[in-house]
Amino acid sequence: MNISDILRIKTTVCITELRRNPGEIIKIVENLPAVILSRNKPKAYLLPAKSYKTLLDLIDDVSLIKTIKTRKSGKTIKVKI
């Protein structure tokens, strides 16, 4: 699953329904991300654990790429191993 799949949220749940039946909502969200609405405005997003892990991996990758680019333009030091 990539970032564009995660952000294409088609499932909406009203906050009242989440309060009434959280277990059922969690079952739905196991496979699909959902937006929680309060008065028809997004208040929160629920992601499957797999999608959340994917997001964390992407954030980590971006951080590593930044570090690599920064170090690439820095001085190099020869070492003997």
Side-chain angles (χ1 to χ4, degrees):
M1 182 171 286
N2 62 37
I3 189 76
S4 61
D5 293 331
I6 293 168
L7 296 177
R8 288 187 192 131
I9 298 175
K10 296 180 182 176
T11 306
T12 60
V13 178
C14 75
I15 201 160
T16 305
E17 184 60 31
L18 179 62
R19 286 185 189 132
R20 285 185 195 149
N21 201 354
E24 189 63 33
I25 302 305
I26 296 299
K27 284 180 187 175
I28 292 169
V29 176
E30 283 180 14
N31 298 313
L32 298 168
V35 61
I36 305 301
L37 302 175
S38 177
R39 297 184 180 152
N40 290 325
K41 293 183 183 176
K43 290 296 178 181
Y45 295 91
L46 291 175
L47 298 174
K50 186 176 180 181
S51 297
Y52 182 72
K53 184 184 179 319
T54 300
L55 283 174
L56 291 179
D57 290 343
L58 288 170
I59 291 168
D60 189 42
D61 290 348
V62 169
S63 176
L64 288 173
I65 290 168
K66 254 183 170 177
T67 301
I68 290 167
K69 286 182 178 180
T70 301
R71 291 181 181 176
K72 187 177 178 181
S73 62
K75 292 183 179 181
T76 58
I77 301 169
K78 289 187 178 184
V79 292
K80 287 186 181 182
I81 300 178

